Amino acid sequence: MPSFVKALGQAGSCSPGMTPNTGCCSPGAVQRWLPILAWLPDYSMQWLKMDVIAGLSVGLTVIPQALAYAEVAGLPPQYGLYSAFMGCFVYFFLGTSRDVTLGPTAIMSLLVSFYTFHEPAYAVLLAFLSGCIQLVMGFLRLGFLLDFISCPVIKGFTSAATVTIAFGQIKNLLGLQNIPRQFFLQVYHTFLSIGETRLGDAMLGLVCMLLLLVLKLMRDHVPPAHPEMPPGVWLSRGLVWAATTARNALVVSFAALVAYSFEVTGCQPFVLTGETAEGLPPVRTPPFSVTTANGTISFTEMVQDMGAGLAVVPLMGLLESIAVAKAFGKTPATHTPGLTNVLGSLVSSYPITGSFGRTAVNAQSGVCTPAGGLVTGALVLLSLDYLTSQFYYIPKAALAAVIIMAVAPLFDAKIFRTLWRVKRLDLLPLCVTFLLCFWEVQYGILAGALVSLLLLLHAVARPETQVSEGPVVILQPASGLHFPTVEALREAILSRALEASPPRSLVLDCTHVCSVDYTVVLGLGELLQDFHKQGASLVFVGLQVPVLRVLLSADLKGFQHFSTLEEAEKYLGQEPGTQPYNISEDSVLEHKVALLKA
């Protein structure tokens, strides 16, 4: 993410009316629901120029990626393009960040391949249902559910998805045929068939990967433009920037030209993409049933077939969109991906989400408003209408190279070393998610989330405590006290105070305790009685107002509290039977009445 934020800082300047990454949205309700009203009245020709440049840059990136991601999803190539334009138009009206782009991504395509059985009808219906679920989550403000998916779980999933996607393209990179899609079978059959590698595909794929890598490195080292640049240098920089930004389109076009040249000579050493349906997709309702040779599959049966995908796909789609928006300094609107998926399903789109790579291209291109998406969407529609016949000659090895280079940055090898250094226990959910996702994605995410939740519950049930030993024991819990902590707290107090010989008094320092529940109150009452029977004292220090209000309301016998540790120690140091230091029954009663009134 830091690289994307850095890229954002290199974006072209916009008109003063729209500051970077904040837009000019007012707090008005209408503008919150229709953000276009915030920036459209101030739109300028300078913004138009920058938006057109950015829109073309993203368009030249998304077209080859869409064709490649359709392969990852196990769908015909045109479905990648069908999924690439609706997000551009929806975000034009509802976009809250000028940089974010919505469309097909590698991870979402992988999830689609898992849950739709490579059937377009299932993929389109999944887009519709995922969008509906995302809209419901947005309107009911259920986004907090995503907070229970921790960063190690997300990192484990994305890393496993990266390995799965990249290895899944080895067959296309080497020209291998009849390789199953299940990961473990794929690994086995790929190595089993390695002797059947097609030399032409392998050489072309490696050359394409090398070209993409060189162009990416050149793009990262293009110097920023400044007014003092000589015209020749400025023009050269612009040409290099354009070529490196549109590297996917250039490399795929180069590969298609090479394949076409061989086709003309009557010798074709590459596996080609083949026929792509021409023209724009028809506007129609999603397929709520499918007719096959064996009969009709009803809507209910289709939903049952997709199973856990109806939870995994919308949740991961929201997570990816939110992560992209936050990386570029903007609070995301959770209803936008949902509406995009619902409307996209009307034009045969499969589920989409925010794209890190294309959003970075958008920001680096100097986009000023979401209007840049109109140019991108128009470019995708033009390619559907006029270029689909040319897609026939694109070698699958070239698309495999595009996919591998696109997903490679998603594998975060540093996270393992970072967690080992920062908190080794967090490696557990990461590794559980990473390993199980190779088996089934839903099991990996669910198991990782459960492990994270168990670690959280363990921290709640067994909070860390600081203990100071002496004539008086001082015990300070590091967090709130809730019902799972009662037994652990009781054991800690008894072992250090009442089981000593002779029994010692104890000060419970509640400075960091912000809440208690009824079970804790009962447990504290029993401890007060135990201390009284042993002739020792249990007193409380540093009680916050909400906690003090609860304890006073419970009328615990023998309950005594002090503002400071010094007051408590001074009281406990007095002779037995004397009055509590600096506290009287009248003052306690007045304090209790005041708290109850509050």
Side-chain angles (χ1 to χ4, degrees):
M1 288 187 187
S3 62
F4 295 126
V5 178
K6 180 180 178 182
L8 178 60
Q10 300 172 351
S13 60
C14 288
S15 178
M18 191 171 189
T19 56
N21 280 317
T22 59
C24 48
C25 288
S26 71
V30 176
Q31 288 186 358
R32 283 200 300 271
W33 285 101
L34 202 59
I36 185 177
L37 299 178
W39 55 265
L40 190 59
D42 299 321
Y43 202 76
S44 65
M45 291 302 297
Q46 175 64 19
W47 289 7
L48 177 62
K49 182 181 76 171
M50 300 302 295
D51 286 343
V52 169
I53 293 173
L56 289 173
S57 301
V58 176
L60 292 174
T61 302
V62 73
I63 290 173
Q65 281 189 347
L67 294 170
Y69 291 155
E71 161 67 24
V72 175
L75 301 174
Q78 65 269 19
Y79 282 89
L81 296 173
Y82 294 166
S83 307
F85 65 85
M86 183 57 74
C88 303
F89 299 132
V90 172
Y91 211 77
F92 171 73
F93 294 99
L94 302 179
T96 55
S97 170
R98 61 180 183 167
D99 305 302
V100 173
T101 64
L102 300 177
T105 65
I107 290 179
M108 192 57 61
S109 300
L110 178 67
L111 293 176
V112 169
S113 73
F114 284 153
Y115 298 113
T116 61
F117 321 107
H118 315 143
E119 288 290 339
Y122 276 87
V124 175
L125 181 60
L126 181 59
F128 174 77
L129 295 177
S130 296
C132 291
I133 292 170
Q134 290 169 337
L135 285 174
V136 170
M137 291 183 66
F139 286 124
L140 296 182
R141 301 185 181 277
L142 298 178
F144 72 91
L145 295 175
L146 301 176
D147 297 336
F148 288 95
I149 303 178
S150 65
C151 182
V153 173
I154 296 172
K155 288 290 187 179
F157 163 71
T158 54
S159 297
T162 300
V163 174
T164 302
I165 293 169
F167 196 88
Q169 294 307 308
I170 297 297
K171 63 180 186 296
N172 291 329
L173 200 67
L174 302 180
L176 303 178
Q177 303 290 329
N178 302 318
I179 303 296
R181 287 183 172 267
Q182 204 282 331
F183 179 74
F184 295 110
L185 291 176
Q186 196 173 80
V187 172
Y188 173 75
H189 283 277
T190 298
F191 284 107
L192 190 66
S193 306
I194 201 74
E196 302 172 12
T197 298
R198 295 168 59 101
L199 184 60
D201 286 297
M203 291 182 61
L204 181 66
L206 293 175
V207 168
C208 288
M209 288 180 64
L210 182 61
L211 287 175
L212 289 169
L213 178 61
V214 170
L215 290 172
K216 182 181 185 301
L217 294 175
M218 289 176 61
R219 177 67 182 87
D220 294 339
H221 291 86
V222 172
H226 55 83
E228 292 77 17
M229 269 188 177
V233 175
W234 186 89
L235 179 61
S236 300
R237 178 200 172 277
L239 291 174
V240 172
W241 177 87
T244 54
T245 299
R247 57 185 178 274
N248 288 329
L250 285 178
V251 169
V252 169
S253 299
F254 160 75
L257 186 60
V258 171
Y260 180 75
S261 301
F262 278 102
E263 186 79 12
V264 171
T265 63
C267 173
Q268 187 54 264
F270 312 121
V271 178
L272 303 181
T273 298
E275 294 290 343
T276 301
E278 296 185 10
L280 303 178
V283 179
R284 58 191 176 193
T285 58
F288 294 106
S289 63
V290 177
T291 302
T292 65
N294 297 325
T296 300
I297 302 175
S298 67
F299 172 74
T300 304
E301 292 173 322
M302 293 178 72
V303 169
Q304 291 173 347
D305 290 340
M306 288 186 283
L310 294 175
V312 174
V313 171
L315 286 178
M316 297 310 299
L318 282 178
L319 271 177
E320 200 168 354
S321 294
I322 290 172
V324 171
K326 286 185 175 180
F328 286 81
K330 194 66 180 176
T331 302
T334 54
H335 61 278
T336 306
L339 185 60
T340 302
N341 277 320
V342 170
L343 295 178
S345 68
L346 302 178
V347 289
S348 302
S349 166
Y350 66 79
I352 65 168
T353 184
S355 166
F356 268 112
R358 294 193 297 274
T359 297
V361 170
N362 211 21
Q364 292 166 349
S365 302
V367 69
C368 288
T369 71
L374 291 181
V375 180
T376 301
L379 202 60
V380 174
L381 291 176
L382 287 174
S383 69
L384 274 168
D385 216 15
Y386 297 105
L387 297 179
T388 47
S389 59
Q390 309 305 316
F391 296 155
Y392 176 93
Y393 298 102
I394 298 177
K396 287 191 174 183
L399 294 180
V402 169
I403 293 171
I404 292 172
M405 297 304 295
V407 301
L410 296 178
F411 187 85
D412 189 359
K414 295 180 181 178
I415 189 65
F416 295 91
R417 185 170 65 251
T418 301
L419 290 181
W420 181 263
R421 186 177 66 251
V422 175
K423 189 174 182 182
R424 296 177 183 178
L425 201 58
D426 280 342
L427 282 170
L428 186 58
L430 183 142
C431 293
V432 167
T433 305
F434 179 76
L435 295 174
L436 287 183
C437 276
F438 290 118
W439 177 33
E440 289 285 350
V441 171
Q442 65 267 26
Y443 297 150
I445 296 173
L446 182 61
L450 286 176
V451 171
S452 295
L453 190 59
L454 287 175
L455 294 177
L456 176 63
L457 292 176
H458 182 268
V460 172
R462 298 295 182 268
E464 294 183 4
T465 56
Q466 294 181 356
V467 181
S468 299
E469 299 282 356
V472 174
V473 181
I474 302 172
L475 190 145
Q476 184 185 67
S479 61
L481 297 178
H482 302 283
F483 65 91
T485 67
V486 172
E487 288 304 318
L489 180 65
R490 180 179 179 84
E491 290 176 8
I493 291 176
L494 291 179
S495 63
R496 288 175 171 82
L498 296 186
E499 293 177 1
S501 182
R504 295 183 293 177
S505 297
L506 183 138
V507 177
L508 188 60
D509 187 347
C510 299
T511 304
H512 301 302
V513 178
C514 57
S515 63
V516 295
D517 56 39
Y518 180 67
T519 306
V520 173
V521 172
L522 289 179
L524 293 176
E526 293 174 359
L527 283 171
L528 287 169
Q529 293 177 15
D530 293 338
F531 271 85
H532 179 71
K533 292 176 182 177
Q534 297 283 344
S537 297
L538 171 63
V539 299
F540 298 79
V541 166
L543 291 171
Q544 298 184 29
V545 173
V547 178
L548 181 58
R549 181 184 294 117
V550 171
L551 295 178
L552 289 174
S553 301
D555 287 323
L556 298 177
K557 186 177 180 180
F559 171 67
Q560 299 173 29
H561 67 94
F562 300 89
S563 300
T564 65
L565 187 60
E566 291 76 14
E567 292 178 358
E569 289 178 326
K570 185 173 181 179
Y571 162 68
L572 292 174
Q574 296 181 94
E575 291 295 326
T578 58
Q579 291 294 321
Y581 170 76
N582 200 28
I583 192 167
S584 65
E585 291 184 4
D586 290 339
S587 63
V588 171
L589 183 60
E590 291 174 3
H591 198 181
K592 179 177 179 179
V593 171
L595 286 172
L596 290 176
K597 286 183 177 179

